[in-house]
Amino acid sequence: MIDMSVRIGSLTLANPVMPASGTFAEGMAQVFDLNALGALVTKTITAELRTGNPLPRVAEVPGGMLNAIGIPSKGVPYFLTKILPLYRDCRAPLFVSISAPTAEGFAELAAAVSVPGVTGIEANISCPNIEEDGRAFAQRAGATEAAIRLIKAATHLPVWAKLSPNVGDVAEIARAAEEAGADALVVSNTILAMAIDLENFRPKLGNTMGGLSGPAIKPIVLRQVYQCARAVKIPVIGCGGIATAHDAAEFMVAGAAAVQVGTASFINSRTMLEVIDGLAQFCAQRGFARVAELTGAIRLEADHAQTAEMETVA
Amino acid sequence: MTYAALPATPSVADERGIVLHNEKVNAEYRHLVVGTSALAATAKPGQFFQLACPQPPGETPYLRRPMSVYGADPKAHTVSFLYKVAGAGTRGLAMLRQGDRCGLMGPLGHGFWLDQAWRNIVVLGRGVGLATLGPLAGMAQKAGVGVTAILSARSPALVMSEEVFREAGAHVIAVTDSEGTADPANVDRLMRGLIADGLCAAMFTCGSSRLLKLLQKLARAHDLPGQVALEQQMACGLGMCFCCVRDFIVDGQTEHRRVCWDGPVFDLREAVA
Ligand SMILES: Cc1cc2nc3c(=O)[nH]c(=O)nc-3n(C[C@H](O)[C@H](O)[C@H](O)COP(=O)(O)OP(=O)(O)OC[C@H]3O[C@@H](n4cnc5c(N)ncnc54)[C@H](O)[C@@H]3O)c2cc1C
Ligand SMILES: Cc1cc2nc3c(=O)[nH]c(=O)nc-3n(C[C@H](O)[C@H](O)[C@H](O)COP(=O)(O)O)c2cc1C
């Protein structure tokens, strides 16, 4: 038997596999028992009522999809009375993904959802910050630090900071989140992208631009997970294009302590179960007694890593 | 619609079925029959599946495609679909050969429902919507409900589900563009006749927003209930991603509902055509 448990800060998860925010809801329980998962992560909620973006909200591209859903939200009372109770019998720890237009808004929302039944908070800081000209919090070290610091002060629960891949130096943002007290990082959200329909010259998304996800982004996010894991001491949770156990293993070897699966669940809703089983098999085949041993097991020639990074930038 | 608790046992299969049949029925439509698990074969009229599409040369359909249940046999463990070859995904489906594996997830969503008080109903559909409405024929027959089916299409060769409705004892009226009988004025006249004759305790539709609007007017004027099966581009099929929302007017307020999760069958009057 492989020990599939992993530690994320003070928390122990039964296994390292969980859904990515926005690609999971109670509907998945129609297909399988959610207790099989290491953790659950809700769709991002906001305190404001939001209807979301105009349609079409998704478009296909080779190797993945674009989405611009726009975080429709029915607010906090709806979440607390209608969504949260659904998971009360679930053993898998529940993380609530939150977003807000200001750092104070993040803190207030974090406090509002710090209730029994919620294990922790995932701060989706990839959303526009209205105090910084609409730039995403996660695109600025200062804004990231301010938001995470206020959230940490507002809740006793573990806080995961979900970073944006749309930055030049992701390690700098990772360090800012760590300094502000984040308990873990989720790397990362979708890559800003677009597509045009040449039949009518219209953008394929109602919102013109959207986020690229799926297998197409895996190598990019894998690189960012590697960079973040080297930059911080807190655990990094890898998220981007994971569709198989080998994808997940790659993320762990690059430094991730756990992984999130998003788009792949749309193609096969049992993907997370297959990743869990496949990781156990992989460990058995390769002689690892604990899946956690994969984390950061990447082999590099001494000092080769740093020069490699410099050479690719040059 | 939300549920008070998570389901104790799975109600949706996500599996690889085996293709038993995938043949052309006319110039545009194909009939696909898939051998499935017992769970998948419990599908009810109006429910749907998400079908994984093979990649046609040079094309990369990525998301699964929603298809209504055209038939489900819980004894033989089969589910069938009637689909129109429209784009990359359905071109991929058309490549499936007998014996191939076919990824599918379902049954999904809420199907049609029948009220015991309804003696006679009218089913009005057009084009590919007739695939969705087809299984309603057998469901009504079992429930002892009389059916008049007005089946609309561009030409007589494209009228789908006619046999299905006839075999289930429905009175079938086919209307087509090529014969000049499918125009809204004629359909409206037919509907008013059926309502006047007491043959329309409820109305069911799918496949045309023009017909939906027409029925909504009649339903309001005569205070009749109805159901509509709606379509929208989907990604997850399980109510998780919020890409398939449509507008509904409920008590004078516009609200979004997810076609995959809250539908695909909705109250006729609340839908926005
Ligand atoms: C609940 C439901 C039941 C359906 N039942 C049937 C059926 O029984 N028979 C049948 O022939 N068709 C049915 N459809 C429509 C069918 O899903 C589309 O024709 C199909 O997705 C087109 O895919 P494509 O790749 O061939 O076309 P493309 O035009 O290349 O598709 C591009 C994208 O748009 C989406 N899309 C295009 N048209 C539709 C549409 N009408 N509805 C939803 N998404 C669409 C596709 O899924 C894909 O994501 C149903 C749709 C829904 C939502
Ligand atoms: C339809 C859709 C909706 C999403 N909604 C959210 C969201 O509400 N909050 C969030 O933090 N990330 C959201 N994401 C991003 C995912 O959580 C994930 O970071 C991203 O898709 C990359 O992982 P993947 O390639 O495995 O999908 C969404 C992604 C998709 C495809």
Side-chain angles (χ1 to χ4, degrees):
Chain A
M1 270 298 269
I2 307 299
D3 177 357
M4 291 297 286
S5 69
V6 294
R7 286 187 67 84
I8 308 291
S10 58
L11 262 169
T12 302
L13 308 184
N15 67 66
V17 181
M18 65 187 94
S21 174
T23 65
F24 166 82
E26 69 271 22
M28 207 167 255
Q30 294 189 340
V31 186
F32 63 84
D33 183 352
L34 302 181
N35 283 313
L37 302 175
L40 307 176
V41 184
T42 69
K43 167 88 188 160
T44 300
I45 64 162
T46 60
E48 306 78 39
L49 304 184
R50 296 167 54 101
T51 52
N53 284 329
L55 272 68
R57 290 179 171 184
V58 299
E60 294 184 321
V61 293
M65 61 179 277
L66 305 180
N67 89 80
I69 307 291
I71 313 193
S73 175
K74 293 189 175 168
V76 177
Y78 181 87
F79 175 78
L80 294 178
T81 58
K82 297 279 197 260
I83 304 296
L84 189 55
L86 292 171
Y87 300 102
R88 85 196 132 201
D89 296 330
C90 227
R91 286 189 303 278
L94 180 75
F95 275 71
V96 179
S97 171
I98 63 168
S99 183
T102 62
E104 287 76 20
F106 262 107
E108 279 164 31
L109 184 52
V113 298
S114 295
V115 298
V118 175
T119 301
I121 291 176
E122 184 175 289
N124 175 9
I125 53 172
S126 314
C127 54
N129 174 359
I130 57 171
E131 290 159 335
E132 274 205 48
D133 211 14
R135 265 188 216 97
F137 290 86
Q139 287 179 317
R140 290 290 162 101
T144 296
E145 189 169 343
I148 300 298
R149 211 176 275 293
L150 284 189
I151 296 170
K152 278 298 287 183
T155 179
H156 59 285
L157 299 177
V159 174
W160 297 349
K162 183 163 177 182
L163 305 191
S164 164
N166 305 308
V167 293
D169 184 359
V170 74
E172 183 198 355
I173 311 292
R175 278 189 293 265
E178 179 181 46
E179 263 159 45
D183 296 277
L185 306 177
V186 180
V187 181
S188 72
N189 216 305
T190 51
I191 297 180
L192 195 60
M194 67 186 279
I196 293 171
D197 186 342
L198 286 181
E199 289 288 315
N200 53 27
F201 286 25
R202 290 215 185 97
K204 284 192 180 175
L205 291 174
N207 189 52
T208 306
M209 290 184 283
L212 176 63
S213 65
I217 71 171
K218 196 196 93 179
I220 297 172
V221 181
L222 184 72
R223 179 266 298 174
Q224 295 190 325
V225 163
Y226 169 72
Q227 291 177 310
C228 289
R230 288 166 58 90
V232 298
K233 296 199 178 61
I234 53 176
V236 174
I237 298 165
C239 174
I242 296 173
T244 65
H246 282 187
D247 293 338
E250 255 187 278
F251 271 83
M252 293 185 73
V253 170
V259 294
Q260 295 185 344
V261 175
T263 305
S265 293
F266 296 172
I267 308 308
N268 168 7
S269 61
R270 306 178 68 84
T271 300
M272 286 188 282
L273 302 182
E274 292 173 8
V275 170
I276 295 167
D277 290 349
L279 274 176
Q281 269 176 33
F282 178 81
C283 288
Q285 281 160 4
R286 306 297 288 265
F288 292 96
R290 299 166 49 237
V291 73
E293 291 169 34
L294 293 177
T295 297
I298 188 167
R299 289 192 199 141
L300 301 165
E301 302 295 325
D303 290 326
H304 167 257
Q306 245 170 0
T307 38
E309 209 166 305
M310 281 161 60
E311 277 161 17
T312 40
V313 171
Chain B
M1 257 174 255
T2 44
Y3 296 105
L6 298 178
T9 52
S11 58
V12 172
D14 198 337
E15 62 189 31
R16 288 168 67 71
I18 184 150
V19 176
L20 303 176
H21 176 95
N22 185 26
E23 301 299 328
K24 270 192 162 161
V25 294
N26 59 36
E28 294 181 358
Y29 292 86
R30 279 178 176 264
H31 186 215
L32 169 66
V33 184
V34 185
T36 65
S37 64
L39 178 57
T42 60
K44 301 283 183 295
Q47 289 191 299
F48 70 101
F49 279 76
Q50 284 275 67
L51 300 184
C53 304
Q55 302 202 337
E59 296 183 297
T60 54
Y62 180 65
L63 299 167
R64 298 194 277 194
R65 301 300 196 247
M67 288 294 163
S68 297
V69 174
Y70 187 57
D73 187 334
K75 290 201 194 81
H77 294 184
T78 61
V79 182
S80 67
F81 306 92
L82 190 62
Y83 65 95
K84 181 175 172 172
V85 178
T90 45
R91 270 195 289 278
L93 286 181
M95 290 164 41
L96 289 169
R97 297 285 167 266
Q98 196 180 347
D100 285 352
R101 290 282 167 174
C102 167
L104 78 171
M105 173 173 71
L108 298 167
H110 302 274
F112 298 106
W113 64 95
L114 292 172
D115 191 307
Q116 296 208 316
W118 298 338
R119 301 297 315 265
N120 292 285
I121 61 170
V122 176
V123 175
L124 168 63
R126 181 168 167 92
V128 72
L130 298 175
T132 307
L133 293 167
L136 190 51
M139 182 181 173
Q141 188 183 35
K142 266 201 210 113
V145 176
V147 175
T148 308
I150 306 177
L151 311 180
S152 172
R154 290 208 313 279
S155 69
L158 296 176
V159 176
M160 311 300 307
S161 299
E162 194 169 350
E163 279 310 297
V164 176
F165 276 103
R166 278 194 211 288
E167 277 167 24
H171 173 50
V172 176
I173 306 169
V175 295
T176 64
D177 297 347
S178 64
E179 297 165 307
T181 47
D183 62 293
N186 188 46
V187 174
D188 188 59
R189 192 183 57 77
L190 289 168
M191 284 299 306
R192 283 177 194 278
L194 292 166
I195 293 169
D197 292 345
L199 291 173
C200 184
M203 40 184 97
F204 295 77
T205 191
C206 180
S208 154
S209 53
R210 223 169 53 174
L211 293 181
L212 169 59
K213 276 191 195 133
L214 187 152
L215 286 194
Q216 285 178 322
K217 252 193 212 148
L218 290 168
R220 287 195 188 102
H222 299 270
D223 196 23
L224 291 169
Q227 291 162 32
V228 57
L230 292 172
E231 293 183 3
Q232 190 68 282
Q233 186 190 19
M234 290 181 183
C236 76
L238 289 167
M240 305 189 296
C241 72
F242 287 83
C243 92
C244 68
V245 297
R246 289 183 64 129
D247 285 344
F248 292 82
I249 297 181
V250 184
D251 302 328
Q253 304 274 3
T254 301
E255 64 174 55
H256 276 153
R257 288 183 183 168
R258 290 160 285 178
V259 171
C260 74
W261 182 254
D262 302 308
V265 177
F266 293 93
D267 185 287
L268 180 82
R269 293 205 227 171
E270 290 176 350
V272 175

